[in-house]
Amino acid sequence: MHPLQLPFAVHIDERDETGAVTAEYAIATIAAVGFAALLVVVLRSDEVRGMLTDLIRHALALPA
């Protein structure tokens, strides 16, 4: 036996996707949290708040 040769076969499955779904969930969760943080920042601005208030007032206004 060659000195660098192992006495047993080592099988490496290159398609082993153990944990891939968990990683995908983690990435999707991080993206959702980032989007939610951006949405909070945008909705807290006075300009957007005014636009939403006007939209709600217009939607709830009785027709003349």
Side-chain angles (χ1 to χ4, degrees):
M1 183 181 300
H2 192 272
L4 296 177
Q5 188 178 13
L6 297 174
F8 52 88
V10 176
H11 178 70
I12 299 174
D13 187 6
E14 295 177 10
R15 296 174 291 167
D16 185 18
E17 296 183 8
T18 303
V21 173
T22 303
E24 290 169 4
Y25 282 135
I27 291 169
T29 301
I30 291 170
V33 168
F35 182 72
L38 179 65
L39 192 59
V40 166
V41 169
V42 168
L43 290 177
R44 283 191 173 181
S45 71
D46 291 334
E47 186 176 329
V48 173
R49 187 176 297 183
M51 288 175 19
L52 289 174
T53 303
D54 290 343
L55 178 68
I56 292 170
R57 282 186 185 149
H58 182 71
L60 295 177
L62 294 174

